[in-house]
Amino acid sequence: MTSHQSTQTMKPATAAKKLGVYLEATPAEFREGVVTRAELNALQADPPQWLRDLRRDGPHPRPVVAQKLGVSIAGLARGGVTDPLTTEQIEALKQEQPEWLQKERSTQAEVRKEAARLRQRDADRAVEGS
């Protein structure tokens, strides 16, 4: 019995998300087609110039903006940042250090600290239970 392997494809929005780029900034041929798993792997392994440029200069999608600023996506929204930002705009925000950014970075640091504490607690319990 032989099985027929179908080619996995994804929508451009899914591929853009996996590549960490803003879909609307990608070339039309990328946005208008479908992307196979093999094509995605090729883009990740050897990114074309347009992808390298987007990753370097933006505009970046919210998850990337949040990561670069060290805040959550919800924190971006609370700070009024709802649009994609370029690397230059992100750097400007880092330099300006608006009050909302300082507050959200502090909140994010507390969240990470609490998550680390819980991981350690769970690890300690696992060792005790062994």
Side-chain angles (χ1 to χ4, degrees):
M1 186 183 261
T2 61
S3 64
H4 182 270
Q5 183 97 18
S6 63
T7 304
Q8 271 189 315
T9 61
M10 62 192 81
K11 294 177 183 176
T14 303
K17 187 174 183 178
K18 290 180 181 287
L19 292 169
V21 295
Y22 181 56
L23 177 63
E24 300 306 316
T26 61
E29 59 269 13
F30 180 86
R31 289 191 311 269
E32 295 165 2
V34 294
V35 180
T36 66
R37 173 65 62 187
E39 290 169 335
L40 178 68
N41 291 341
L43 287 170
Q44 290 172 325
D46 185 24
Q49 189 62 47
W50 66 263
L51 182 53
R52 289 194 303 269
D53 292 344
L54 268 180
R55 286 177 168 169
R56 183 185 62 240
D57 302 326
H60 303 287
R62 283 181 302 168
V64 174
V65 173
Q67 183 264 324
K68 287 179 179 277
L69 289 173
V71 300
S72 66
I73 295 172
L76 282 180
R78 285 189 294 270
V81 178
T82 56
D83 295 327
L85 298 179
T86 64
T87 299
E88 188 176 303
Q89 291 169 314
I90 292 168
E91 291 304 316
L93 274 174
K94 286 180 178 179
Q95 292 298 315
E96 292 169 17
Q97 284 290 313
E99 187 177 327
W100 72 265
L101 181 56
Q102 293 174 37
K103 181 177 182 240
E104 292 301 333
R105 279 183 161 177
S106 175
T107 300
Q108 191 69 6
E110 289 298 318
V111 167
R112 287 187 185 118
K113 186 175 168 183
E114 179 64 6
R117 185 190 69 78
L118 293 175
R119 277 193 304 276
Q120 184 60 51
R121 181 201 66 191
D122 293 346
D124 292 346
R125 285 182 179 171
V127 169
E128 289 171 7
S130 298

